[in-house]
Amino acid sequence: MKLNTSLSMTALLLAAGLAACSPKPATPAGSESAAPLWKVVETLKAPEGGYDYASIDAGARQLFIGREYGVMAVDLTTKAVSTLITRDDVAAVLLIPGTDLMLTTNNGADTATLLNRKTGAALADIKTGKGPDGALYDAGSGLAFVMNGDSEDISLIDIKAAKVVATIKAGGVPEAAASDGKGRVYVNIEDTNEILVIDVAGRKEVARYPLAGCHEPTGITYDAATGLLIPVCHNNTAKLIDAATGVDKGTFAIGAGADGSLFDPKTRTGYVSCIDGTLTIYKLDEQGQVTVLQTVKTSDGARTAAFDPVSGQVYLPAATVERDDKGEYLRADKNFSVVVVGKS
């Protein structure tokens, strides 16, 4: 996500206090394990500058991170760092499964770039709405959904045609999105605290789900086994929402300033990365019950993440967060690194 709105230190402390005083969630979180299972196992240094989303091509052993100067690539075998392509303020680095393609969202240029992620060769620069940020690929339709934060709409890009084929009004600032693989896409709307439900075939809004107790939803993921959406919020809160009905199935506590929501269906383990330098790791059973396993201290600013299914590790780009005299977020572009979390 682009941090266009600020998180003040007062807001973070208030959110933490509210979480500590909140009633027991409808879907209770279990106690954290006594012996830590996960820890920071490595920290990779890389060029200074701003950053956003991350993704992993597990087969090619490549990590990609959206940077203010373009796409940064890391060879996960050798740890060599390179620039795949230069573009203006890259946010999303969206892999297109079954191909060698990647779609970037270029927040500084109001474009998306379709490129070959093996060679870095650009195939098309596509005009989007204003402030393109998060992106999602829906395999069933072959469409990429680009969330435009400034124009408050969503550009639907036909990957084969390399062009925008529809635009959907978001009714607020769209953040991350998830697909159920059955014709619905779910988009967090950050400033209205709700989920926008899109009918992919009809290319239109069909519902909105309110997120009670959630302030500024950002990351979101979907679990097919339970049919649950897991949106994460800036105020120390993660929600469990029935994707079919919008019914609130529960809440569990996370860190402050959440941005990343990842879920590994094979191990049924979820990961929530937060700007306060925490990674909440939880289990979601097939009955929809959550057990928080551990909260790992990562690094200041480590708000986005990518999961490597080969190693089982989580990669988190991070940089020192700078704040003004009121404790409000200014930037995070110094002391950049990639923090790697794995099992002990």
Side-chain angles (χ1 to χ4, degrees):
M1 66 169 288
K2 289 295 170 188
L3 293 175
N4 295 325
T5 56
S6 58
L7 268 175
S8 69
M9 189 59 67
T10 301
L12 291 176
L13 292 173
L14 177 60
L18 289 173
C21 299
S22 62
K24 187 176 181 180
T27 300
S31 60
E32 295 190 8
S33 56
L37 295 176
W38 286 269
K39 66 178 182 180
V40 174
V41 296
E42 191 174 10
T43 300
L44 309 175
K45 293 299 182 181
E48 297 285 67
Y51 58 96
D52 209 335
Y53 291 97
S55 62
I56 288 178
D57 183 338
R61 308 308 298 142
Q62 291 283 314
L63 166 69
F64 301 104
I65 298 173
R67 304 295 309 272
E68 65 179 37
Y69 56 79
V71 177
M72 186 181 90
V74 181
D75 186 311
L76 295 181
T77 301
T78 67
K79 304 305 190 298
V81 176
S82 62
T83 299
L84 180 66
I85 192 171
T86 57
R87 284 296 185 272
D88 189 1
D89 201 8
V90 173
V93 282
L94 178 68
L95 307 186
I96 309 302
T99 76
D100 291 337
L101 301 177
M102 171 191 290
L103 186 77
T104 69
T105 58
N106 312 317
N107 194 268
D110 295 336
T111 61
T113 299
L114 188 65
L115 66 140
N116 185 313
R117 67 176 182 269
K118 304 293 185 183
T119 66
L123 305 176
D125 286 307
I126 305 163
K127 194 67 176 176
T128 63
K130 295 180 180 179
D133 189 5
L136 168 78
Y137 181 69
D138 177 69
S141 64
L143 296 175
F145 290 70
V146 172
M147 275 52 78
N148 304 304
D150 293 343
S151 55
E152 299 187 357
D153 54 21
I154 301 164
S155 299
L156 278 58
I157 296 176
D158 184 314
I159 293 298
K160 288 185 177 179
K163 66 179 183 180
V164 173
V165 294
T167 301
I168 298 172
K169 292 293 184 183
V173 179
E175 260 293 338
S179 170
D180 65 3
K182 299 182 291 186
R184 293 286 187 272
V185 163
Y186 305 86
V187 185
N188 276 342
I189 306 299
E190 186 178 24
D191 56 336
T192 63
N193 305 322
E194 60 187 354
I195 295 173
L196 167 65
V197 185
I198 294 173
D199 173 66
V200 177
R203 300 177 182 178
K204 63 181 180 180
E205 172 187 334
V206 291
R208 285 180 182 264
Y209 298 159
L211 295 173
C214 169
H215 179 61
E216 295 186 7
T218 50
I220 187 171
T221 191
Y222 172 75
D223 172 44
T226 59
L228 291 175
L229 295 162
I230 304 135
V232 299
C233 317
H234 273 183
N235 60 326
N236 297 77
T237 299
K239 304 287 293 182
L240 302 173
I241 303 295
D242 187 297
T245 64
V247 171
D248 190 328
K249 295 292 187 177
T251 300
F252 62 98
I254 56 173
D259 204 348
S261 181
L262 308 175
F263 187 72
D264 176 20
K266 290 185 178 180
T267 63
R268 305 210 53 76
T269 306
Y271 306 87
V272 180
S273 51
C274 300
I275 201 171
D276 67 354
T278 60
L279 179 69
T280 300
I281 303 174
Y282 65 92
K283 285 279 188 179
L284 175 67
D285 69 24
E286 293 191 352
Q287 287 69 52
Q289 299 297 306
V290 166
T291 301
V292 174
L293 302 176
Q294 189 178 338
T295 300
V296 179
K297 182 61 181 174
T298 55
S299 185
D300 190 28
R303 58 186 176 79
T304 59
F307 176 73
D308 178 14
V310 174
S311 66
Q313 296 177 330
V314 181
Y315 289 77
L316 305 100
T320 301
V321 175
E322 297 180 50
R323 301 181 184 277
D324 65 15
D325 293 340
K326 297 180 180 179
E328 294 181 339
Y329 177 94
L330 291 174
R331 67 187 66 86
D333 56 11
K334 297 178 181 177
N335 304 312
F336 180 82
S337 64
V338 179
V339 177
V340 187
V341 172
K343 285 192 174 181
S344 304

